[in-house]
Amino acid sequence: MTESILEVRGLQVALPSDADRPYAIESMDISIPAGRTLCIVGESGSGKSVLATTVLGLLAKGLTVKSGSIRLAGEALVDGGVPIPQKRLRELRGTGMGMVFQEPMTALNPVHTCGEQVDELLRTHTDWNASARKARILEIFERVRLPSPERIYASYPHQLSGGQRQRIVIAMAIILKPRLLICDEPTTALDVTTQAEILKLIAELQAEQNSAVLFITHDMGVVAEIADDILVMHRGVVVEQGTCDQVLRAPSQAYTRMLLDAVPGMTPPAPRELPGGPALLAGRNVGKTYIRRDWLGRAKPTQALQETSVSVHQGETVGVVGESGSGKSTFARCLIRLIEPTDGVVHWAGKEVQSLKESELRPLRSQVQVVFQDPNRSLNPRRTIGSSMVEGAMNFGMSAAQAQAKVEELMDRIQLPRTALERYPHQFSGGQRQRIAIARALACHPKVLVADEAVSALDVSVQAQILDLLREIQRDLGIGILFITHDLRVAAQLCDRVVVMRSGRVVEQGQTASVFGNPSEDYTRALLAAAPSTNFSS
């Protein structure tokens, strides 16, 4: 028989007494043989990530293992509900099991370079000398498609794009070729071409080492690409499990069918009739050049953005797509004056804001609100989410009572209980935190919403709800939306126009139906071809 790398029996993990249900995981039995991939799917808060942290011995404060056992290649990690000593778990992390976390800025230390952080792992678990360690790190950086590995080695996390940071985390997880690889949304921040490469890399590692993969994701297209077996969870309970074909092509449970039905397709709807009028947000020939200096003080310019233009009108959604590092987020930050563009002109509602000082910009900032990619970085961990949401609305003129009523209404819209306003960000799942960030931006009544990968952390059913919410808000208020995304399926369903970027330049733009149906550029065709299939019919 094939060796079982991970075996979980009767696992039960309890939530704190004030939680919305007794158990994060009510009862679970799984077995992942060597060479196979088990994908765990389910909505945000279903208990998927709790399983991963329980296996690693990194369970969050307040959660406790009540019963059950976990074995890694025959060795007990949890026995009768009791975890093994932390010393042995630390020895197994990296060598016996590797983990790719969902949010790279949480997993990476901001005060150390990326190379130093990977090197620390090798120093802890190997006896290699410094030159051998660096050579191995540069090799793995190249394998995960990081550009200029030497530069990335010396860079800090904040100097990289979201997708590049995620690839650093993936490199750390696979560098010692563990028998078990746990992936918690590892492709969430990656564009479709890099995602395809990462999935291929994980499959290669699995074949080389005969390892097992526990893959947590909300992307059904990724599930179809990589899964051997699928386990569906809902509110801590295993709803359905079976082989990939069984679950995707002939699901037996209504909940599974609902998840599959919520996956957006790649065919855009017919173009809408739009109000038109003057642009609410516009950038013309926007450029950004960063200047880095070497140890001799010599300038080393890096051109991140070149002659890039876009306009967003009332009631219109404009998508910006492209690979990680293509300049999408840099472009958005220049448009909303979070970073200063080097070239070009930026207008908000017809007013030129390029030359305004921050004190002059501040009263105008309610017009353009942003939802960032990583909610962990945009929500203050020391404040309740209620106080964070109310603050923005009050800063732009609402009374305390009006702001409170507004955020309570928004909590209803994002399907979170109003009582959750008294909780802190760490008490929510990743998808729930992103919904809160979206609601906080909407509380300020913006004319334009800039969404930087705003639904990338959400499961398909909640993603569908948020996209419906954005359409509803846009229909009711006539706001414009600039939507930065690597998910082409979301862009197909939400965006009226798309702008395709590569290496800091716009290579193609036009109506979504036209660009997706008949792309004029080879690069656009390559992006569309790399998108995972969502054809689950038998």
Side-chain angles (χ1 to χ4, degrees):
M1 291 183 64
T2 306
E3 177 191 9
S4 179
I5 301 299
L6 179 66
E7 190 164 346
V8 179
R9 291 287 175 258
L11 182 65
Q12 192 175 66
V13 180
L15 285 166
S17 58
D18 60 346
D20 59 350
R21 64 178 193 266
Y23 298 104
I25 298 176
E26 192 161 317
S27 180
M28 177 177 284
D29 295 295
I30 62 172
S31 179
I32 312 179
R36 289 186 75 83
T37 298
L38 172 67
C39 280
I40 300 185
V41 300
E43 293 176 289
S44 177
S46 63
K48 307 185 300 293
S49 296
V50 172
L51 172 62
T53 53
T54 304
V55 172
L56 286 161
L58 298 174
L59 206 56
K61 186 178 180 181
L63 277 68
T64 53
V65 179
K66 286 295 185 182
S67 62
S69 65
I70 302 174
R71 305 187 79 84
L72 176 67
E75 180 177 351
L77 303 180
V78 174
D79 192 7
V82 180
I84 63 172
Q86 281 292 319
K87 183 176 183 295
R88 178 56 181 157
L89 278 171
R90 283 193 293 269
E91 292 171 353
L92 289 170
R93 293 176 198 139
T95 54
M97 50 186 172
M99 174 72 176
V100 181
F101 292 95
Q102 180 177 357
E103 294 164 346
M105 279 305 286
T106 305
L108 294 173
N109 190 326
V111 301
H112 292 289
T113 66
C114 297
E116 288 172 341
Q117 295 185 61
V118 185
D119 189 58
E120 180 185 14
L121 178 69
L122 297 184
R123 290 199 311 272
T124 302
H125 293 288
T126 73
D127 58 359
W128 303 346
N129 62 34
S131 60
R133 294 196 305 268
K134 184 172 182 179
R136 176 61 177 153
I137 293 168
L138 295 178
E139 176 191 343
I140 204 70
F141 280 4
E142 194 166 321
R143 286 198 70 187
V144 298
R145 288 192 69 214
L146 281 164
S148 308
E150 284 276 5
R151 177 180 64 82
I152 297 291
Y153 184 95
S155 298
Y156 291 89
H158 72 272
Q159 295 174 310
L160 307 180
S161 70
Q164 289 170 338
R165 287 193 291 264
Q166 188 65 291
R167 281 179 272 176
I168 294 292
V169 176
I170 291 169
M172 293 176 71
I174 67 176
I175 194 167
L176 291 175
K177 299 183 178 179
R179 296 300 310 279
L180 173 67
L181 183 61
I182 303 173
C183 302
D184 188 358
E185 304 283 6
T187 57
T188 290
L190 303 181
D191 56 81
V192 289
T193 52
T194 305
Q195 175 178 269
E197 290 289 334
I198 292 300
L199 296 180
K200 180 181 177 184
L201 179 62
I202 291 172
E204 288 174 359
L205 172 68
Q206 189 174 40
E208 290 171 10
Q209 294 295 113
N210 200 29
S211 56
V213 176
L214 175 64
F215 201 101
I216 297 164
T217 184
H218 62 257
D219 190 327
M220 291 298 184
V222 169
V223 172
E225 294 276 337
I226 200 171
D228 296 306
D229 304 290
I230 298 173
L231 183 143
V232 183
M233 294 186 69
H234 178 54
R235 293 179 62 82
V237 176
V238 175
V239 173
E240 183 170 358
Q241 57 183 312
T243 66
C244 183
D245 280 348
Q246 288 172 346
V247 175
L248 292 186
R249 301 186 186 281
S252 63
Q253 300 298 315
Y255 179 73
T256 309
R257 289 193 292 272
M258 180 275 292
L259 289 179
L260 295 174
D261 289 343
V263 178
M266 282 289 287
T267 303
R272 299 185 299 159
E273 185 175 339
L274 298 171
L280 301 176
L281 174 68
R284 187 174 71 252
N285 297 327
V286 177
K288 179 63 179 177
T289 301
Y290 290 99
I291 304 294
R292 299 178 66 184
R293 297 187 181 277
D294 62 18
W295 64 281
L296 290 174
R298 294 174 298 197
K300 302 179 72 174
T302 300
Q303 203 163 23
L305 207 60
Q306 305 173 57
E307 298 180 346
T308 311
S309 301
V310 74
S311 60
V312 182
H313 299 78
Q314 181 182 355
E316 180 184 39
T317 301
V318 178
V320 182
V321 302
E323 293 177 291
S324 174
S326 63
K328 305 187 300 294
S329 294
T330 299
F331 187 29
R333 283 166 168 75
C334 286
L335 291 175
I336 60 180
R337 286 287 309 273
L338 287 186
I339 58 176
E340 298 297 327
T342 312
D343 305 294
V345 180
V346 177
H347 287 88
W348 295 356
K351 182 179 179 63
E352 188 269 314
V353 297
Q354 176 72 19
S355 59
L356 296 184
K357 299 176 182 178
E358 180 56 37
S359 59
E360 298 170 309
L361 268 178
R362 192 163 296 150
L364 305 176
R365 285 205 176 275
S366 65
Q367 298 179 17
V368 181
Q369 288 291 296
V370 62
V371 180
F372 293 103
Q373 180 177 355
D374 186 350
N376 253 17
R377 299 178 67 199
S378 57
L379 294 172
N380 189 330
R382 297 184 177 184
R383 301 186 67 176
T384 64
I385 61 115
S387 64
S388 291
M389 292 171 68
V390 165
E391 179 187 30
M394 291 180 65
N395 284 346
F396 293 115
M398 283 191 192
S399 68
Q402 290 172 326
Q404 184 65 29
K406 181 64 179 177
V407 300
E408 287 178 358
E409 174 196 335
L410 287 168
M411 291 295 281
D412 295 339
R413 283 192 166 186
I414 64 174
Q415 297 192 339
L416 287 175
R418 294 185 179 190
T419 54
L421 289 168
E422 299 304 315
R423 290 158 59 185
Y424 292 86
H426 74 272
Q427 295 175 292
F428 297 89
S429 68
Q432 289 170 332
R433 284 193 292 268
Q434 191 64 294
R435 281 185 273 169
I436 291 163
I438 291 170
R440 184 181 63 172
L442 293 174
C444 297
H445 290 300
K447 292 181 179 178
V448 176
L449 187 65
V450 177
D452 187 358
E453 302 286 6
V455 296
S456 64
L458 304 181
D459 56 79
V460 287
S461 60
V462 177
Q463 183 181 88
Q465 294 161 13
I466 292 298
L467 296 180
D468 286 342
L469 171 62
L470 291 174
R471 293 187 191 99
E472 178 186 330
I473 294 290
Q474 189 173 57
R475 184 179 64 247
D476 294 345
L477 303 178
I479 65 171
I481 299 175
L482 183 67
F483 199 87
I484 294 100
T485 184
H486 62 258
D487 192 329
L488 298 179
R489 296 189 300 267
V490 170
Q493 298 306 311
L494 183 68
C495 300
D496 300 296
R497 290 190 292 122
V498 291
V499 176
V500 183
M501 292 189 66
R502 183 185 191 187
S503 301
R505 289 183 178 273
V506 173
V507 297
E508 183 169 359
Q509 61 179 305
Q511 281 197 335
T512 306
S514 174
V515 173
F516 276 60
N518 187 27
S520 62
E521 297 293 325
D522 289 341
Y523 177 71
T524 308
R525 286 191 284 271
L527 283 180
L528 295 170
S533 171
T534 53
N535 182 13
F536 306 130
S537 59
S538 56

